[in-house]
Amino acid sequence: MHITSRTKPTEADLAQTLRTGPFDLALRTALAARGLALHRVQHRLAQRGIKVGVTSLSYW
């Protein structure tokens, strides 16, 4: 599977990538499939007590 910034992954792409990884590809695929911004992910993680910067998320 090849994901580009111009291609929105399908649910099948997402499910496959979540199963097989690697983590960085799974994260990027999930963000693209769900239309999530990194600051939103950061906020949701913070709600669960996980503090991580947007910059750190972007490196993945």
Side-chain angles (χ1 to χ4, degrees):
M1 173 180 60
H2 179 69
I3 303 296
T4 68
S5 60
R6 294 181 296 268
T7 305
K8 183 176 179 182
T10 65
E11 289 297 316
D13 292 333
L14 178 57
Q16 175 70 23
T17 306
L18 290 174
R19 277 193 306 276
T20 62
F23 176 77
D24 62 327
L25 180 59
L27 178 62
R28 284 194 311 265
T29 303
L31 292 171
R34 304 301 166 120
L36 295 173
L38 291 178
H39 71 277
R40 186 71 186 132
V41 173
Q42 178 193 35
H43 177 75
R44 296 293 297 269
L45 289 170
Q47 288 177 323
R48 290 163 176 76
I50 302 167
K51 294 186 179 7
V52 62
V54 172
T55 302
S56 295
L57 288 171
S58 73
Y59 285 130
W60 279 324

